[in-house]
């Protein structure tokens, strides 16, 4: 895996600590999210539970693959006392685990939003297929592109980046239109939560592109500091686009459940609120 940026640099002990720490925070947060989504499943009516199930699957896959990424880092690098640096040993770091995780999670994250929206039954399969397929295509193109992040960061990476952006714009457009339409029919608090979900989606999904661009940033992009920066950006994007997003979708589902007469302990106030606004 010599094509991955991390394998071409040497980390100071502080930089290596920063890498390992943020990867650990990443998988620990997703294990915590896993517990959260299992435990709060009862707070949504049965018709919304497929959505929570998808969050559970997203958490498990992310937690395990991010754990694997951290193991990969610690297997690949050894401390060289002479230089005082962490250098590549007998193994290499495999950044591909991140893309394998996206391949599972991107289609799930996109289609899970459909469950809290009003979509005609006849249209549901079509939207799931279009969003899932476009999401997978984007990840596959991005994965191929990352093979060039050291060899040809500006040329090939931009080429693959532009290719991956086409399915991205396509599914983003569908997501934006459907969630935008929902602002006219969602009850009370669910409406403002959905508004936040849209901004969160816009910010966190574009953060992945910013992280992808880091290796193109000349000497900094190709340095150990560049590798650390990229890992932080990816981790922030992961926590926002999977955990926080899932929590907010759950809030919409709970608000809808209560507005539809499903009893959830501690959420009775939402029922009163929705009477005036639904
Ligand atoms: C790439 C390549 C450059 C062009 C584009 C990209 C977009 C990536 C995105 C990733 C989202 C990942 C998520 C993962 C969850 O597990 C591939 C960086 C458009 C949007 C949400």
């Amino acid at each position: 895996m010599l094509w991955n940026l991390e394998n071409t640099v040497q980390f100071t002990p502080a930089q290596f600590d920063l890498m390992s720490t943020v990867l650990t925070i990443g998988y620990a947060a997703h294990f915590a999210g896993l517990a959260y989504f299992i435990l709060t499943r009862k707070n949504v009516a049965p018709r919304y539970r497929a959505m929570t199930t998808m969050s559970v699957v997203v958490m498990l896959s992310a937690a395990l693959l991010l754990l694997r990424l951290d193991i990969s880092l610690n297997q690949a690098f050894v401390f060289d006392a002479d230089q005082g640096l962490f250098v590549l040993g007998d193994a290499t770091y495999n950044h591909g685990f991140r893309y394998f995780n996206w391949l599972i999670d991107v289609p799930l994250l996109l289609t899970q939003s459909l469950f809290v929206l009003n979509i005609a039954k006849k249209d549901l399969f079509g939207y799931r297929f279009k969003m899932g397929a476009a999401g997978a295509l984007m990840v596959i193109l991005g994965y191929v592109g990352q093979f060039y992040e050291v060899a040809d960061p500006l040329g090939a990476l931009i080429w693959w980046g532009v290719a991956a952006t086409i399915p991205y714009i396509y599914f983003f457009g569908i997501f934006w239109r459907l969630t935008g339409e929902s602002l006219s029919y969602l009850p009370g608090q669910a409406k403002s939560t959905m508004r936040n979900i849209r901004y969160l989606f816009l910010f966190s999904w574009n953060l992945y592109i910013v992280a992808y661009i880091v290796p193109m940033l000349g000497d900094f992009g190709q340095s150990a500091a560049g590798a650390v920066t990229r890992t932080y950006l990816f981790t922030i994007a992961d926590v926002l686009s999977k955990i926080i997003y899932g929590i907010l979708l759950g809030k919409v589902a709970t608000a809808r459940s209560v507005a539809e007469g499903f009893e959830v302990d501690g959420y009775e106030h939402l029922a009163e609120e929705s009477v005036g606004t639904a």
Side-chain angles (χ1 to χ4, degrees), residues 58 62 99 101-102 105-106 109 138-139 141-143 157 160-162 164-165 168 171 205-206 208-209 212 234 237-238 241-242:
V58 164
Y99 288 83
N101 172 234
W102 294 1
D105 286 356
V106 165
L109 290 168
M138 177 198 77
V139 175
L141 291 169
Y143 177 64
L157 215 52
W160 288 102
V162 170
T165 306
Y168 176 63
F171 70 65
W205 286 58
N206 282 314
Y208 286 98
I209 302 175
Y212 183 83
F234 274 138
D238 277 342
S241 71
K242 291 185 272 218

PDB file of all heavy atoms in Angstrom, residues 58 62 99 101-102 105-106 109 138-139 141-143 157 160-162 164-165 168 171 205-206 208-209 212 234 237-238 241-242, ligand 1:
ATOM      1  N   VAL A  58     -24.859   0.970  10.337  1.00  0.00           N
ATOM      2  CA  VAL A  58     -23.831   1.976  10.014  1.00  0.00           C
ATOM      3  C   VAL A  58     -22.801   2.051  11.154  1.00  0.00           C
ATOM      4  O   VAL A  58     -21.589   2.065  10.915  1.00  0.00           O
ATOM      5  CB  VAL A  58     -24.483   3.364   9.777  1.00  0.00           C
ATOM      6  CG1 VAL A  58     -23.455   4.478   9.821  1.00  0.00           C
ATOM      7  CG2 VAL A  58     -25.211   3.384   8.440  1.00  0.00           C
ATOM      8  N   ALA A  62     -18.865   1.024  10.820  1.00  0.00           N
ATOM      9  CA  ALA A  62     -17.869   2.093  10.990  1.00  0.00           C
ATOM     10  C   ALA A  62     -16.942   1.786  12.162  1.00  0.00           C
ATOM     11  O   ALA A  62     -15.724   1.940  12.055  1.00  0.00           O
ATOM     12  CB  ALA A  62     -18.570   3.429  11.206  1.00  0.00           C
ATOM     13  N   TYR A  99     -12.585   3.516   2.753  1.00  0.00           N
ATOM     14  CA  TYR A  99     -13.479   3.458   1.589  1.00  0.00           C
ATOM     15  C   TYR A  99     -14.392   2.238   1.654  1.00  0.00           C
ATOM     16  O   TYR A  99     -15.540   2.284   1.216  1.00  0.00           O
ATOM     17  CB  TYR A  99     -12.656   3.474   0.286  1.00  0.00           C
ATOM     18  CG  TYR A  99     -12.042   4.837   0.029  1.00  0.00           C
ATOM     19  CD1 TYR A  99     -10.851   5.202   0.647  1.00  0.00           C
ATOM     20  CD2 TYR A  99     -12.679   5.776  -0.772  1.00  0.00           C
ATOM     21  CE1 TYR A  99     -10.295   6.457   0.452  1.00  0.00           C
ATOM     22  CE2 TYR A  99     -12.136   7.030  -0.977  1.00  0.00           C
ATOM     23  CZ  TYR A  99     -10.939   7.362  -0.360  1.00  0.00           C
ATOM     24  OH  TYR A  99     -10.406   8.616  -0.554  1.00  0.00           O
ATOM     25  N   ASN A 101     -15.611   1.084   4.333  1.00  0.00           N
ATOM     26  CA  ASN A 101     -16.660   1.522   5.242  1.00  0.00           C
ATOM     27  C   ASN A 101     -17.675   2.415   4.516  1.00  0.00           C
ATOM     28  O   ASN A 101     -18.890   2.253   4.676  1.00  0.00           O
ATOM     29  CB  ASN A 101     -16.033   2.254   6.437  1.00  0.00           C
ATOM     30  CG  ASN A 101     -17.087   2.910   7.307  1.00  0.00           C
ATOM     31  OD1 ASN A 101     -17.025   4.096   7.586  1.00  0.00           O
ATOM     32  ND2 ASN A 101     -18.079   2.158   7.708  1.00  0.00           N
ATOM     33  N   TRP A 102     -17.200   3.326   3.708  1.00  0.00           N
ATOM     34  CA  TRP A 102     -18.111   4.222   2.978  1.00  0.00           C
ATOM     35  C   TRP A 102     -19.034   3.420   2.054  1.00  0.00           C
ATOM     36  O   TRP A 102     -20.196   3.762   1.874  1.00  0.00           O
ATOM     37  CB  TRP A 102     -17.341   5.202   2.095  1.00  0.00           C
ATOM     38  CG  TRP A 102     -16.501   6.195   2.829  1.00  0.00           C
ATOM     39  CD1 TRP A 102     -16.331   6.313   4.183  1.00  0.00           C
ATOM     40  CD2 TRP A 102     -15.693   7.216   2.237  1.00  0.00           C
ATOM     41  NE1 TRP A 102     -15.459   7.338   4.445  1.00  0.00           N
ATOM     42  CE2 TRP A 102     -15.054   7.904   3.284  1.00  0.00           C
ATOM     43  CE3 TRP A 102     -15.451   7.608   0.924  1.00  0.00           C
ATOM     44  CZ2 TRP A 102     -14.189   8.973   3.056  1.00  0.00           C
ATOM     45  CZ3 TRP A 102     -14.585   8.662   0.699  1.00  0.00           C
ATOM     46  CH2 TRP A 102     -13.969   9.336   1.754  1.00  0.00           C
ATOM     47  N   ASP A 105     -21.697   2.306   4.199  1.00  0.00           N
ATOM     48  CA  ASP A 105     -22.450   3.335   4.914  1.00  0.00           C
ATOM     49  C   ASP A 105     -23.104   4.401   4.032  1.00  0.00           C
ATOM     50  O   ASP A 105     -24.192   4.885   4.365  1.00  0.00           O
ATOM     51  CB  ASP A 105     -21.531   4.037   5.935  1.00  0.00           C
ATOM     52  CG  ASP A 105     -21.252   3.137   7.131  1.00  0.00           C
ATOM     53  OD1 ASP A 105     -21.827   2.038   7.169  1.00  0.00           O
ATOM     54  OD2 ASP A 105     -20.483   3.538   8.016  1.00  0.00           O
ATOM     55  N   VAL A 106     -22.464   4.781   2.930  1.00  0.00           N
ATOM     56  CA  VAL A 106     -23.039   5.863   2.115  1.00  0.00           C
ATOM     57  C   VAL A 106     -24.437   5.486   1.596  1.00  0.00           C
ATOM     58  O   VAL A 106     -25.391   6.253   1.778  1.00  0.00           O
ATOM     59  CB  VAL A 106     -22.069   6.287   0.979  1.00  0.00           C
ATOM     60  CG1 VAL A 106     -22.776   7.114  -0.082  1.00  0.00           C
ATOM     61  CG2 VAL A 106     -20.903   7.074   1.565  1.00  0.00           C
ATOM     62  N   LEU A 109     -26.821   5.590   4.638  1.00  0.00           N
ATOM     63  CA  LEU A 109     -27.102   6.932   5.168  1.00  0.00           C
ATOM     64  C   LEU A 109     -28.066   7.691   4.258  1.00  0.00           C
ATOM     65  O   LEU A 109     -28.931   8.431   4.721  1.00  0.00           O
ATOM     66  CB  LEU A 109     -25.800   7.731   5.301  1.00  0.00           C
ATOM     67  CG  LEU A 109     -24.842   7.272   6.398  1.00  0.00           C
ATOM     68  CD1 LEU A 109     -23.479   7.938   6.228  1.00  0.00           C
ATOM     69  CD2 LEU A 109     -25.412   7.586   7.774  1.00  0.00           C
ATOM     70  N   MET A 138     -19.929   6.760  -6.463  1.00  0.00           N
ATOM     71  CA  MET A 138     -19.045   7.828  -5.986  1.00  0.00           C
ATOM     72  C   MET A 138     -17.901   7.248  -5.151  1.00  0.00           C
ATOM     73  O   MET A 138     -16.736   7.619  -5.329  1.00  0.00           O
ATOM     74  CB  MET A 138     -19.847   8.824  -5.145  1.00  0.00           C
ATOM     75  CG  MET A 138     -19.002   9.923  -4.547  1.00  0.00           C
ATOM     76  SD  MET A 138     -19.828  10.754  -3.188  1.00  0.00           S
ATOM     77  CE  MET A 138     -19.637   9.559  -1.854  1.00  0.00           C
ATOM     78  N   VAL A 139     -18.229   6.317  -4.263  1.00  0.00           N
ATOM     79  CA  VAL A 139     -17.200   5.740  -3.389  1.00  0.00           C
ATOM     80  C   VAL A 139     -16.182   4.948  -4.215  1.00  0.00           C
ATOM     81  O   VAL A 139     -14.968   5.064  -4.004  1.00  0.00           O
ATOM     82  CB  VAL A 139     -17.838   4.829  -2.317  1.00  0.00           C
ATOM     83  CG1 VAL A 139     -16.753   4.133  -1.497  1.00  0.00           C
ATOM     84  CG2 VAL A 139     -18.750   5.640  -1.407  1.00  0.00           C
ATOM     85  N   LEU A 141     -15.320   5.335  -7.375  1.00  0.00           N
ATOM     86  CA  LEU A 141     -14.455   6.259  -8.123  1.00  0.00           C
ATOM     87  C   LEU A 141     -13.445   6.936  -7.185  1.00  0.00           C
ATOM     88  O   LEU A 141     -12.272   7.078  -7.517  1.00  0.00           O
ATOM     89  CB  LEU A 141     -15.300   7.308  -8.855  1.00  0.00           C
ATOM     90  CG  LEU A 141     -16.152   6.761 -10.019  1.00  0.00           C
ATOM     91  CD1 LEU A 141     -17.148   7.814 -10.502  1.00  0.00           C
ATOM     92  CD2 LEU A 141     -15.266   6.322 -11.174  1.00  0.00           C
ATOM     93  N   GLY A 142     -13.919   7.324  -5.994  1.00  0.00           N
ATOM     94  CA  GLY A 142     -13.016   7.937  -5.010  1.00  0.00           C
ATOM     95  C   GLY A 142     -11.933   6.962  -4.581  1.00  0.00           C
ATOM     96  O   GLY A 142     -10.771   7.332  -4.401  1.00  0.00           O
ATOM     97  N   TYR A 143     -12.317   5.687  -4.443  1.00  0.00           N
ATOM     98  CA  TYR A 143     -11.359   4.656  -4.030  1.00  0.00           C
ATOM     99  C   TYR A 143     -10.267   4.471  -5.082  1.00  0.00           C
ATOM    100  O   TYR A 143      -9.084   4.392  -4.762  1.00  0.00           O
ATOM    101  CB  TYR A 143     -12.103   3.338  -3.788  1.00  0.00           C
ATOM    102  CG  TYR A 143     -11.189   2.188  -3.418  1.00  0.00           C
ATOM    103  CD1 TYR A 143     -10.453   2.233  -2.235  1.00  0.00           C
ATOM    104  CD2 TYR A 143     -11.062   1.076  -4.239  1.00  0.00           C
ATOM    105  CE1 TYR A 143      -9.602   1.190  -1.892  1.00  0.00           C
ATOM    106  CE2 TYR A 143     -10.216   0.030  -3.905  1.00  0.00           C
ATOM    107  CZ  TYR A 143      -9.486   0.093  -2.723  1.00  0.00           C
ATOM    108  OH  TYR A 143      -8.645  -0.934  -2.388  1.00  0.00           O
ATOM    109  N   LEU A 157      -5.735  12.677  -9.207  1.00  0.00           N
ATOM    110  CA  LEU A 157      -6.673  12.840  -8.097  1.00  0.00           C
ATOM    111  C   LEU A 157      -7.812  13.787  -8.485  1.00  0.00           C
ATOM    112  O   LEU A 157      -8.965  13.561  -8.144  1.00  0.00           O
ATOM    113  CB  LEU A 157      -5.919  13.354  -6.869  1.00  0.00           C
ATOM    114  CG  LEU A 157      -6.396  12.838  -5.519  1.00  0.00           C
ATOM    115  CD1 LEU A 157      -6.486  11.328  -5.498  1.00  0.00           C
ATOM    116  CD2 LEU A 157      -5.473  13.302  -4.410  1.00  0.00           C
ATOM    117  N   TRP A 160     -10.155  11.830 -10.970  1.00  0.00           N
ATOM    118  CA  TRP A 160     -11.090  10.920 -10.284  1.00  0.00           C
ATOM    119  C   TRP A 160     -12.061  11.698  -9.404  1.00  0.00           C
ATOM    120  O   TRP A 160     -13.218  11.301  -9.234  1.00  0.00           O
ATOM    121  CB  TRP A 160     -10.316   9.894  -9.447  1.00  0.00           C
ATOM    122  CG  TRP A 160      -9.627   8.888 -10.313  1.00  0.00           C
ATOM    123  CD1 TRP A 160      -8.305   8.857 -10.642  1.00  0.00           C
ATOM    124  CD2 TRP A 160     -10.234   7.782 -11.000  1.00  0.00           C
ATOM    125  NE1 TRP A 160      -8.057   7.803 -11.485  1.00  0.00           N
ATOM    126  CE2 TRP A 160      -9.215   7.124 -11.719  1.00  0.00           C
ATOM    127  CE3 TRP A 160     -11.540   7.290 -11.073  1.00  0.00           C
ATOM    128  CZ2 TRP A 160      -9.447   6.000 -12.501  1.00  0.00           C
ATOM    129  CZ3 TRP A 160     -11.778   6.164 -11.846  1.00  0.00           C
ATOM    130  CH2 TRP A 160     -10.736   5.527 -12.560  1.00  0.00           C
ATOM    131  N   GLY A 161     -11.571  12.823  -8.845  1.00  0.00           N
ATOM    132  CA  GLY A 161     -12.429  13.645  -8.004  1.00  0.00           C
ATOM    133  C   GLY A 161     -13.594  14.210  -8.796  1.00  0.00           C
ATOM    134  O   GLY A 161     -14.741  14.190  -8.351  1.00  0.00           O
ATOM    135  N   VAL A 162     -13.300  14.677 -10.015  1.00  0.00           N
ATOM    136  CA  VAL A 162     -14.370  15.233 -10.857  1.00  0.00           C
ATOM    137  C   VAL A 162     -15.343  14.120 -11.234  1.00  0.00           C
ATOM    138  O   VAL A 162     -16.574  14.284 -11.178  1.00  0.00           O
ATOM    139  CB  VAL A 162     -13.765  15.907 -12.122  1.00  0.00           C
ATOM    140  CG1 VAL A 162     -14.859  16.257 -13.117  1.00  0.00           C
ATOM    141  CG2 VAL A 162     -12.986  17.155 -11.724  1.00  0.00           C
ATOM    142  N   ALA A 164     -16.012  11.420  -9.527  1.00  0.00           N
ATOM    143  CA  ALA A 164     -16.814  11.045  -8.349  1.00  0.00           C
ATOM    144  C   ALA A 164     -17.850  12.115  -8.017  1.00  0.00           C
ATOM    145  O   ALA A 164     -18.879  11.832  -7.395  1.00  0.00           O
ATOM    146  CB  ALA A 164     -15.890  10.817  -7.143  1.00  0.00           C
ATOM    147  N   THR A 165     -17.582  13.354  -8.443  1.00  0.00           N
ATOM    148  CA  THR A 165     -18.497  14.449  -8.119  1.00  0.00           C
ATOM    149  C   THR A 165     -19.818  14.359  -8.898  1.00  0.00           C
ATOM    150  O   THR A 165     -20.843  14.864  -8.446  1.00  0.00           O
ATOM    151  CB  THR A 165     -17.801  15.808  -8.396  1.00  0.00           C
ATOM    152  OG1 THR A 165     -16.569  15.821  -7.672  1.00  0.00           O
ATOM    153  CG2 THR A 165     -18.638  16.975  -7.944  1.00  0.00           C
ATOM    154  N   TYR A 168     -22.188  12.305  -7.037  1.00  0.00           N
ATOM    155  CA  TYR A 168     -22.396  13.051  -5.784  1.00  0.00           C
ATOM    156  C   TYR A 168     -23.457  14.146  -5.978  1.00  0.00           C
ATOM    157  O   TYR A 168     -24.409  14.258  -5.194  1.00  0.00           O
ATOM    158  CB  TYR A 168     -21.059  13.649  -5.346  1.00  0.00           C
ATOM    159  CG  TYR A 168     -21.113  14.521  -4.114  1.00  0.00           C
ATOM    160  CD1 TYR A 168     -21.486  13.997  -2.889  1.00  0.00           C
ATOM    161  CD2 TYR A 168     -20.769  15.873  -4.170  1.00  0.00           C
ATOM    162  CE1 TYR A 168     -21.522  14.779  -1.753  1.00  0.00           C
ATOM    163  CE2 TYR A 168     -20.798  16.669  -3.033  1.00  0.00           C
ATOM    164  CZ  TYR A 168     -21.177  16.118  -1.825  1.00  0.00           C
ATOM    165  OH  TYR A 168     -21.219  16.900  -0.701  1.00  0.00           O
ATOM    166  N   PHE A 171     -27.036  12.501  -6.379  1.00  0.00           N
ATOM    167  CA  PHE A 171     -27.800  12.067  -5.184  1.00  0.00           C
ATOM    168  C   PHE A 171     -28.009  13.215  -4.214  1.00  0.00           C
ATOM    169  O   PHE A 171     -29.015  13.266  -3.504  1.00  0.00           O
ATOM    170  CB  PHE A 171     -27.204  10.822  -4.521  1.00  0.00           C
ATOM    171  CG  PHE A 171     -25.881  10.983  -3.806  1.00  0.00           C
ATOM    172  CD1 PHE A 171     -25.752  11.777  -2.681  1.00  0.00           C
ATOM    173  CD2 PHE A 171     -24.763  10.279  -4.230  1.00  0.00           C
ATOM    174  CE1 PHE A 171     -24.535  11.897  -2.016  1.00  0.00           C
ATOM    175  CE2 PHE A 171     -23.537  10.393  -3.568  1.00  0.00           C
ATOM    176  CZ  PHE A 171     -23.436  11.210  -2.460  1.00  0.00           C
ATOM    177  N   TRP A 205     -20.791  16.295   4.548  1.00  0.00           N
ATOM    178  CA  TRP A 205     -20.447  15.531   3.337  1.00  0.00           C
ATOM    179  C   TRP A 205     -19.403  16.291   2.517  1.00  0.00           C
ATOM    180  O   TRP A 205     -18.525  15.688   1.914  1.00  0.00           O
ATOM    181  CB  TRP A 205     -21.706  15.195   2.512  1.00  0.00           C
ATOM    182  CG  TRP A 205     -22.510  14.099   3.164  1.00  0.00           C
ATOM    183  CD1 TRP A 205     -23.034  14.108   4.423  1.00  0.00           C
ATOM    184  CD2 TRP A 205     -22.835  12.803   2.619  1.00  0.00           C
ATOM    185  NE1 TRP A 205     -23.666  12.920   4.689  1.00  0.00           N
ATOM    186  CE2 TRP A 205     -23.567  12.105   3.595  1.00  0.00           C
ATOM    187  CE3 TRP A 205     -22.602  12.177   1.392  1.00  0.00           C
ATOM    188  CZ2 TRP A 205     -24.054  10.818   3.399  1.00  0.00           C
ATOM    189  CZ3 TRP A 205     -23.092  10.889   1.188  1.00  0.00           C
ATOM    190  CH2 TRP A 205     -23.807  10.215   2.185  1.00  0.00           C
ATOM    191  N   ASN A 206     -19.471  17.623   2.521  1.00  0.00           N
ATOM    192  CA  ASN A 206     -18.452  18.375   1.779  1.00  0.00           C
ATOM    193  C   ASN A 206     -17.094  18.350   2.483  1.00  0.00           C
ATOM    194  O   ASN A 206     -16.057  18.531   1.843  1.00  0.00           O
ATOM    195  CB  ASN A 206     -18.919  19.808   1.520  1.00  0.00           C
ATOM    196  CG  ASN A 206     -19.907  19.849   0.366  1.00  0.00           C
ATOM    197  OD1 ASN A 206     -19.678  19.233  -0.668  1.00  0.00           O
ATOM    198  ND2 ASN A 206     -21.024  20.522   0.539  1.00  0.00           N
ATOM    199  N   TYR A 208     -15.679  15.740   3.549  1.00  0.00           N
ATOM    200  CA  TYR A 208     -14.939  14.602   2.977  1.00  0.00           C
ATOM    201  C   TYR A 208     -14.146  15.044   1.746  1.00  0.00           C
ATOM    202  O   TYR A 208     -13.045  14.556   1.498  1.00  0.00           O
ATOM    203  CB  TYR A 208     -15.894  13.473   2.571  1.00  0.00           C
ATOM    204  CG  TYR A 208     -16.455  12.704   3.744  1.00  0.00           C
ATOM    205  CD1 TYR A 208     -17.712  12.997   4.261  1.00  0.00           C
ATOM    206  CD2 TYR A 208     -15.731  11.678   4.334  1.00  0.00           C
ATOM    207  CE1 TYR A 208     -18.225  12.285   5.339  1.00  0.00           C
ATOM    208  CE2 TYR A 208     -16.228  10.968   5.411  1.00  0.00           C
ATOM    209  CZ  TYR A 208     -17.488  11.278   5.908  1.00  0.00           C
ATOM    210  OH  TYR A 208     -17.982  10.586   6.969  1.00  0.00           O
ATOM    211  N   ILE A 209     -14.733  15.955   0.995  1.00  0.00           N
ATOM    212  CA  ILE A 209     -14.037  16.421  -0.214  1.00  0.00           C
ATOM    213  C   ILE A 209     -12.819  17.261   0.197  1.00  0.00           C
ATOM    214  O   ILE A 209     -11.747  17.128  -0.383  1.00  0.00           O
ATOM    215  CB  ILE A 209     -15.003  17.218  -1.121  1.00  0.00           C
ATOM    216  CG1 ILE A 209     -16.201  16.329  -1.481  1.00  0.00           C
ATOM    217  CG2 ILE A 209     -14.284  17.715  -2.370  1.00  0.00           C
ATOM    218  CD1 ILE A 209     -17.274  17.019  -2.276  1.00  0.00           C
ATOM    219  N   TYR A 212     -10.127  14.973   1.133  1.00  0.00           N
ATOM    220  CA  TYR A 212      -9.590  14.292  -0.062  1.00  0.00           C
ATOM    221  C   TYR A 212      -8.599  15.182  -0.808  1.00  0.00           C
ATOM    222  O   TYR A 212      -7.661  14.693  -1.442  1.00  0.00           O
ATOM    223  CB  TYR A 212     -10.784  13.945  -0.955  1.00  0.00           C
ATOM    224  CG  TYR A 212     -10.503  13.167  -2.229  1.00  0.00           C
ATOM    225  CD1 TYR A 212     -10.371  11.779  -2.209  1.00  0.00           C
ATOM    226  CD2 TYR A 212     -10.437  13.811  -3.465  1.00  0.00           C
ATOM    227  CE1 TYR A 212     -10.166  11.059  -3.379  1.00  0.00           C
ATOM    228  CE2 TYR A 212     -10.239  13.104  -4.641  1.00  0.00           C
ATOM    229  CZ  TYR A 212     -10.107  11.727  -4.595  1.00  0.00           C
ATOM    230  OH  TYR A 212      -9.918  11.022  -5.753  1.00  0.00           O
ATOM    231  N   PHE A 234     -11.380  13.702   8.308  1.00  0.00           N
ATOM    232  CA  PHE A 234     -12.226  12.529   8.053  1.00  0.00           C
ATOM    233  C   PHE A 234     -12.984  12.114   9.317  1.00  0.00           C
ATOM    234  O   PHE A 234     -14.153  11.731   9.256  1.00  0.00           O
ATOM    235  CB  PHE A 234     -11.380  11.353   7.555  1.00  0.00           C
ATOM    236  CG  PHE A 234     -11.129  11.340   6.064  1.00  0.00           C
ATOM    237  CD1 PHE A 234      -9.882  11.020   5.546  1.00  0.00           C
ATOM    238  CD2 PHE A 234     -12.159  11.631   5.156  1.00  0.00           C
ATOM    239  CE1 PHE A 234      -9.646  10.996   4.165  1.00  0.00           C
ATOM    240  CE2 PHE A 234     -11.929  11.609   3.773  1.00  0.00           C
ATOM    241  CZ  PHE A 234     -10.675  11.290   3.283  1.00  0.00           C
ATOM    242  N   ALA A 237     -15.803  14.537  10.028  1.00  0.00           N
ATOM    243  CA  ALA A 237     -16.872  14.285   9.056  1.00  0.00           C
ATOM    244  C   ALA A 237     -17.630  13.005   9.405  1.00  0.00           C
ATOM    245  O   ALA A 237     -18.865  12.950   9.301  1.00  0.00           O
ATOM    246  CB  ALA A 237     -16.275  14.191   7.648  1.00  0.00           C
ATOM    247  N   ASP A 238     -16.910  11.964   9.850  1.00  0.00           N
ATOM    248  CA  ASP A 238     -17.557  10.693  10.206  1.00  0.00           C
ATOM    249  C   ASP A 238     -18.537  10.872  11.368  1.00  0.00           C
ATOM    250  O   ASP A 238     -19.667  10.384  11.325  1.00  0.00           O
ATOM    251  CB  ASP A 238     -16.496   9.663  10.633  1.00  0.00           C
ATOM    252  CG  ASP A 238     -15.864   8.960   9.440  1.00  0.00           C
ATOM    253  OD1 ASP A 238     -16.445   8.994   8.339  1.00  0.00           O
ATOM    254  OD2 ASP A 238     -14.785   8.357   9.617  1.00  0.00           O
ATOM    255  N   SER A 241     -21.547  13.054  10.055  1.00  0.00           N
ATOM    256  CA  SER A 241     -22.415  12.526   8.995  1.00  0.00           C
ATOM    257  C   SER A 241     -23.067  11.202   9.368  1.00  0.00           C
ATOM    258  O   SER A 241     -24.028  10.784   8.719  1.00  0.00           O
ATOM    259  CB  SER A 241     -21.612  12.340   7.704  1.00  0.00           C
ATOM    260  OG  SER A 241     -20.731  11.254   7.848  1.00  0.00           O
ATOM    261  N   LYS A 242     -22.561  10.529  10.401  1.00  0.00           N
ATOM    262  CA  LYS A 242     -23.164   9.254  10.780  1.00  0.00           C
ATOM    263  C   LYS A 242     -23.854   9.325  12.137  1.00  0.00           C
ATOM    264  O   LYS A 242     -25.026   8.979  12.258  1.00  0.00           O
ATOM    265  CB  LYS A 242     -22.095   8.154  10.780  1.00  0.00           C
ATOM    266  CG  LYS A 242     -21.627   7.842   9.370  1.00  0.00           C
ATOM    267  CD  LYS A 242     -20.656   6.690   9.333  1.00  0.00           C
ATOM    268  CE  LYS A 242     -19.260   7.163   9.522  1.00  0.00           C
ATOM    269  NZ  LYS A 242     -18.299   6.420   8.688  1.00  0.00           N
TER     270      LYS A 242
HETATM  271  C1  LIG B   1     -14.641  11.832  -2.813  1.00  0.00           C
HETATM  272  C2  LIG B   1     -13.747  12.044  -4.036  1.00  0.00           C
HETATM  273  C3  LIG B   1     -13.768  13.430  -4.525  1.00  0.00           C
HETATM  274  C4  LIG B   1     -15.134  13.795  -4.993  1.00  0.00           C
HETATM  275  C5  LIG B   1     -16.186  13.456  -4.007  1.00  0.00           C
HETATM  276  C6  LIG B   1     -15.951  12.612  -2.927  1.00  0.00           C
HETATM  277  C7  LIG B   1     -16.993  12.541  -1.910  1.00  0.00           C
HETATM  278  C8  LIG B   1     -17.004  11.800  -0.810  1.00  0.00           C
HETATM  279  C9  LIG B   1     -18.068  11.784   0.136  1.00  0.00           C
HETATM  280  C10 LIG B   1     -17.987  10.845   1.113  1.00  0.00           C
HETATM  281  C11 LIG B   1     -18.931  10.613   2.118  1.00  0.00           C
HETATM  282  C12 LIG B   1     -18.722   9.637   2.962  1.00  0.00           C
HETATM  283  C13 LIG B   1     -19.564   9.267   4.031  1.00  0.00           C
HETATM  284  C14 LIG B   1     -19.139   8.195   4.730  1.00  0.00           C
HETATM  285  C15 LIG B   1     -19.821   7.605   5.779  1.00  0.00           C
HETATM  286  O1  LIG B   1     -19.429   6.578   6.227  1.00  0.00           O
HETATM  287  C16 LIG B   1     -14.909  10.339  -2.786  1.00  0.00           C
HETATM  288  C17 LIG B   1     -13.868  12.245  -1.590  1.00  0.00           C
HETATM  289  C18 LIG B   1     -17.541  14.081  -4.228  1.00  0.00           C
HETATM  290  C19 LIG B   1     -19.193  12.747   0.054  1.00  0.00           C
HETATM  291  C20 LIG B   1     -20.795  10.005   4.361  1.00  0.00           C
END
